Amino acid sequence: MFLAIDIGNTNITLGLFKINNNIIEDKPFQIWRIATSKKKTADEYAIKILDVFYYSKIDITKEQIQSVAIASVVPSLDNVFADLTKRYFKKDALFISSKNSGGLKFLYNNPEEVGADRIADAVAAYERYKSAAIVIDFGTATTFDCIDKNGCYLGGVITAGPLISAEALTQKTAKLPQVNLSMPAKIIGRTTVEGIQSGLYYGYIGLVKEILHRIKNEMNEDKIKVIATGGLSYLMVKEMEDIEEVIPELTLEGIKIISSKQ
């Protein structure tokens, strides 16, 4: 089996892929998410990971992990997971970067600045469609990644995710409560909570639509595939007709593709 790990600021996503005749299957057959904590040790993370394997009835003593690849945007956890994979899976993990990006070409001033998750998203999107694409990843930050029709990574846009906006609103005001992000029934809120939910949701819809409009004009491609991924993607795309597909496992697929090309 092949284990792909996407280390984000809020969650760590694990994807387990089957390997048949030395070829990794296209999609993970199991996906788990655990909370990110910069304070946990390799042993503590290993306990969590082995627990989810156990309760999913995956016996790694029989179904040995053959390789591990990681896309991390939390540098302080890189050594933790390198140690974990070495000690518990007896493997040296491949850490995704611009230097081992599976052949992705960069039209970016400094490719080393591009996050590993964004590289994986771009690789997976182009592998799927072989066309110009925009990937919107709704995570802790929301990122827009742009790939041209020749598979070149052009760059993108980074903005605060909607949950960060919700937290900031609570922290910087005296009377506004923390709310759950959801799609409100009406734009005009009849309570403070409804008003905040409306502002967060529809304000974010407007932000995404405007950025998408400007990106498409600047890319000036005949056909651009727009894809969404990330934990909040299903909620945010309900009002966005420009987004053609939601692919929750896109980053894991990209990690798998890059690993296969090493």
Side-chain angles (χ1 to χ4, degrees), residues 45-229:
Y45 273 117
I47 289 169
K48 281 185 171 291
I49 293 171
L50 295 176
D51 275 352
V52 297
F53 283 4
Y54 174 79
Y55 287 108
S56 300
K57 295 181 169 50
I58 295 168
D59 184 356
I60 64 165
T61 61
K62 296 178 180 178
E63 301 286 346
Q64 189 61 43
I65 303 296
Q66 293 173 249
S67 58
V68 180
I70 298 172
S72 172
V73 296
V74 187
S76 63
L77 290 180
D78 290 358
N79 286 336
V80 171
F81 274 80
D83 183 30
L84 183 159
T85 55
K86 185 73 170 178
R87 290 169 54 203
Y88 287 89
F89 302 130
K90 312 303 180 188
K91 296 291 182 291
D92 290 320
L94 170 72
F95 281 83
I96 306 300
S97 73
S98 61
K99 296 178 180 177
N100 58 13
S101 57
L104 181 68
K105 295 165 283 186
F106 292 89
L107 298 179
Y108 200 78
N109 291 343
N110 183 3
E112 292 184 13
E113 292 180 353
V114 184
D117 55 344
R118 302 178 71 189
I119 292 171
D121 285 346
V123 168
Y126 191 74
E127 187 77 12
R128 271 176 172 259
Y129 304 109
K130 301 296 184 186
S131 69
I134 302 168
V135 181
I136 310 173
D137 193 334
F138 293 96
T140 306
T142 295
T143 57
F144 299 72
D145 293 300
C146 308
I147 308 98
D148 71 12
K149 63 184 177 183
N150 298 313
C152 294
Y153 181 82
L154 303 176
V157 176
I158 305 170
T159 187
L163 293 182
I164 289 179
S165 301
E167 290 172 5
L169 197 60
T170 301
Q171 291 170 3
K172 298 297 183 181
T173 57
K175 296 183 68 175
L176 297 183
Q178 181 75 46
V179 302
N180 293 322
L181 188 66
S182 63
M183 182 180 179
K186 298 179 179 179
I187 185 66
I188 301 174
R190 297 298 178 92
T191 67
T192 299
V193 168
E194 289 178 356
I196 295 172
Q197 288 175 328
S198 185
L200 289 171
Y201 184 81
Y202 289 111
Y204 215 79
I205 295 296
L207 177 150
V208 173
K209 285 184 174 182
E210 179 65 16
I211 290 174
L212 261 182
H213 172 71
R214 290 176 179 270
I215 286 175
K216 284 184 172 182
N217 285 344
E218 194 166 303
M219 286 180 69
N220 194 28
E221 297 269 11
D222 292 335
K223 181 180 179 183
I224 303 174
K225 191 79 176 181
V226 182
I227 314 149
T229 190

